[in-house]
Amino acid sequence: MASRRRRRRRRRRRRYRDAPLYDTSTRASARDFEHTAMFEVLNVPLAFAFACFRPKRMSKPTTSRSPRPAHAASDRSSMSRSIVVVGGGNAAGYLVRALVSADPTLGARTLVIGAEDVAPYERPALTKGFLHKESPPRLPGFHTCVGGGGERQTPEWYEQHGVELRLNTTVTAADFKSRTVTTSAGESIGYETLVLATGCGVIRLPEAIGGTLPGVHYVRNNADGLALVEAMDKATKAVVVGGGYVGLEVAASCATRGLKPEVVMMEPHVMARLWNADIAQHYERLYETRGTTFHRSSKLKAILADADGKARGIELESGAVIDADLVVVGVGATAPVPFTGLDAPEGRVGGIKVDSRFRASGADVAPGSVYAIGDIAAFPLKLADNEIVRMEHVKHARDSATLVGNIIAGKSDDEYDYTPFFYSRVFEHPGTERAVNWVFHGLQRGEIITIGNLDPTLAAFWIDDGKCVGIMLESGAPERVAALAAAVRARKSVDVSALRACASVDDALALVL
């Protein structure tokens, strides 16, 4: 029996190593895996009390056994684990790292359930280096936690740490009263602590306007990314619907490949939820020099099909038709509450309401038994006077997961004190003449003052009530970038007239930092 188990493990390792889905020859740096995404700060009052965390709920197993290997399916209709993690994305990988780092015995008591067929990975890579024509990163090169400077957590890593990794599996229901979840395979799994790390979903266009036609692409997971790369390799002309993070990052790769992308957006300029028109114009000009065309304040009417039923372009409500054999849609994300019985925040924030330690609440949810981390967590942001926000950003996914892992392990009981952070890098392909590399720290409040013209640097400052609460810096020196978060947390008073009069980005930073 033991020899058969060893043979099965060796076969699984060979399948993982040799499968064309992965390229073990490529290795990517942490630079490839930072990502930026939108966040909302709404004026919603904090309307719930913090529940008490009870680490004593974690009990050690009464019997010793060999850890179940990654990918193994249970042969029982019912089982239980101390810690069940629903979702196999960025946050799940960092949560498990925190758990086993704080207490190695927690590995054998942890089950991760993921819908994809791959172990947790640094998802932001999918719209960056992953789309490069030359030397693109591929799995297993960017499994978590390489983007945060940690180990590459392949399926073998989970097996070595005793963590059961259940892939190609979704959770269809949760019973918080009995503390069980039900999987798509019909299995009932009990838990002591449940961590929800399901992340956001992409907004898909309706079938009625061509949103599901062959040749229309959305980017959410590794399979989506591979399909998009295959389509880009064959395409001659691209249309990108959406002028936010995903739209701009995909458009940059299309432009690099000579696909002359046309970007369609309802807003008057790109990145309208973060930038004003003054900032956006500099980046739009740079994109235009690379062959990109922008259709501002434009609405999509339909995606058009050819005689074979494949996408051949789009029609705008103005009546204009744009021909293309590749259509990529990046118009936002959804964050619905995944299961009934969980409290949701008021207003339009979305996601699951949690406290400052990411503990969820609900009529049948015992205090400290359910956590929500990453994109779906609607939490009180201390920097914004405890306004309830969600952050769709990889740094938040990593940080919230690490904090919760340490809380569950009994290593700490800290509250979350996050500084919003956005980041993007494009046009970094081999032989590039000009890369785009910007960061933002802080809050999007007040007046925006822009210094510089993107030749090569640019800085923008969000000034609220005479204090600097947010800073964006393009192509900044590492020491300058490192100082931004502390500067916005300090909320230094700024002479606005003096800031406007600064002749250079360096002068402006010297005034604010």
Side-chain angles (χ1 to χ4, degrees):
M1 175 69 81
S3 63
R4 284 201 297 270
R5 283 199 297 267
R6 285 194 294 270
R7 287 196 297 271
R8 284 198 297 270
R9 290 176 183 173
R10 285 196 294 268
R11 286 197 295 270
R12 279 194 294 271
R13 291 191 185 107
R14 286 196 296 270
R15 284 199 300 269
Y16 180 80
R17 183 189 63 220
D18 298 335
L21 181 63
Y22 307 98
D23 181 358
T24 57
S25 67
T26 57
R27 292 293 182 267
S29 70
R31 286 170 52 83
D32 292 315
F33 311 123
E34 297 294 345
H35 186 50
T36 56
M38 307 299 182
F39 80 103
E40 293 186 25
V41 179
L42 302 177
N43 292 318
V44 180
L46 180 60
F48 58 95
F50 296 153
C52 296
F53 171 69
R54 299 177 182 176
K56 64 181 180 182
R57 296 195 65 88
M58 298 302 302
S59 57
K60 291 190 176 182
T62 56
T63 59
S64 61
R65 59 179 179 80
S66 300
R68 293 167 58 85
H71 297 282
S74 174
D75 57 358
R76 292 171 292 173
S77 61
S78 180
M79 60 175 290
S80 64
R81 286 290 184 275
S82 292
I83 305 165
V84 173
V85 185
V86 179
N90 262 104
Y94 282 82
L95 174 82
V96 172
R97 181 178 75 160
L99 288 171
V100 300
S101 295
D103 182 354
T105 68
L106 292 179
R109 297 153 62 190
T110 301
L111 166 66
V112 178
I113 303 173
E116 293 189 66
D117 58 356
V118 291
Y121 58 91
E122 306 282 1
R123 195 178 302 276
L126 298 178
T127 55
K128 294 181 176 62
F130 194 93
L131 302 181
H132 287 175
K133 193 171 184 63
E134 299 179 28
S135 304
R138 292 289 183 268
L139 289 174
F142 58 96
H143 281 300
T144 58
C145 296
V146 295
E151 292 181 78
R152 182 177 292 108
Q153 296 172 194
T154 63
E156 289 77 15
W157 183 94
Y158 290 90
E159 182 175 348
Q160 289 164 7
H161 289 81
V163 178
E164 181 178 358
L165 192 60
R166 191 80 60 85
L167 303 178
N168 290 310
T169 305
T170 59
V171 171
T172 58
D175 186 330
F176 301 112
K177 195 169 187 177
S178 65
R179 295 197 182 189
T180 58
V181 296
T182 303
T183 71
S184 51
E187 184 178 18
S188 179
I189 301 173
Y191 65 83
E192 292 184 22
T193 301
L194 177 66
V195 183
L196 302 177
T198 51
C200 288
V202 298
I203 295 175
R204 297 177 184 271
L205 299 181
E207 181 180 1
I209 65 169
T212 60
L213 288 173
V216 178
H217 292 264
Y218 304 84
V219 186
R220 167 60 183 160
N221 56 39
N222 185 64
D224 293 338
L226 290 170
L228 177 56
V229 168
E230 182 179 0
M232 292 172 76
D233 287 342
K234 300 175 182 177
T236 59
K237 184 73 170 60
V239 166
V240 178
V241 181
Y245 285 100
V246 171
L248 285 186
E249 291 181 351
V250 171
S253 291
C254 288
T256 299
R257 289 167 168 262
L259 299 182
K260 299 188 181 301
E262 302 201 33
V263 178
V264 176
M265 54 191 169
M266 296 177 61
E267 301 81 10
H269 58 78
V270 299
M271 297 291 294
R273 294 178 62 186
L274 176 61
W275 296 344
N276 62 8
D278 190 25
I279 300 172
Q281 65 172 326
H282 297 290
Y283 289 90
E284 289 175 356
R285 283 200 295 264
L286 177 61
Y287 271 75
E288 287 167 346
T289 65
R290 305 291 178 89
T292 303
T293 300
F294 291 101
H295 298 267
R296 304 171 182 86
S297 302
S298 298
K299 293 183 180 180
L300 175 72
K301 181 179 180 180
I303 300 173
L304 306 176
D306 62 16
D308 296 324
K310 298 179 181 179
R312 66 170 180 85
I314 66 171
E315 181 182 0
L316 303 181
E317 286 195 353
S318 65
V321 173
I322 304 172
D323 294 325
D325 51 3
L326 172 64
V327 179
V328 185
V329 180
V331 292
T334 62
V337 177
F339 308 112
T340 58
L342 293 170
D343 291 336
E346 299 177 19
R348 299 173 55 200
V349 180
I352 301 168
K353 183 174 74 172
V354 297
D355 66 11
S356 59
R357 295 180 179 88
F358 294 96
R359 296 174 296 202
S361 56
D364 294 324
V365 176
S369 65
V370 179
Y371 294 82
I373 58 177
D375 294 356
I376 61 168
F379 65 95
L381 181 64
K382 283 189 176 183
L383 192 65
D385 302 320
N386 284 332
E387 290 181 84
I388 303 301
V389 304
R390 280 193 314 104
M391 299 282 175
E392 296 169 13
H393 187 271
V394 68
K395 187 177 187 303
H396 163 64
R398 295 168 180 164
D399 290 356
S400 61
T402 300
L403 180 125
V404 169
N406 288 334
I407 289 175
I408 293 173
K411 183 179 179 179
S412 77
D413 198 31
D414 294 340
E415 294 185 333
Y416 198 52
D417 190 6
Y418 184 70
T419 303
F421 171 75
F422 303 141
Y423 195 107
S424 189
R425 260 191 324 270
V426 294
F427 296 123
E428 289 193 313
H429 55 283
T432 185
E433 297 176 2
R434 170 72 165 86
V436 169
N437 184 338
W438 61 265
V439 297
F440 171 89
H441 286 274
L443 304 177
Q444 300 165 245
R445 292 180 174 178
E447 177 185 11
I448 304 176
I449 298 174
T450 306
I451 307 295
N453 58 6
L454 206 62
D455 188 23
T457 62
L458 176 147
F461 305 87
W462 279 250
I463 308 299
D464 185 38
D465 195 24
K467 300 181 186 299
C468 182
V469 298
I471 304 176
M472 172 185 163
L473 179 60
E474 166 67 46
S475 300
E479 62 273 14
R480 294 290 200 186
V481 172
L484 298 184
V488 298
R489 292 188 67 85
R491 299 200 178 189
K492 181 180 178 180
S493 294
V494 176
D495 184 332
V496 174
S497 297
L499 181 60
R500 289 185 185 280
C502 287
S504 69
V505 169
D506 284 343
D507 290 345
L509 291 174
L511 184 67
V512 172
L513 298 184

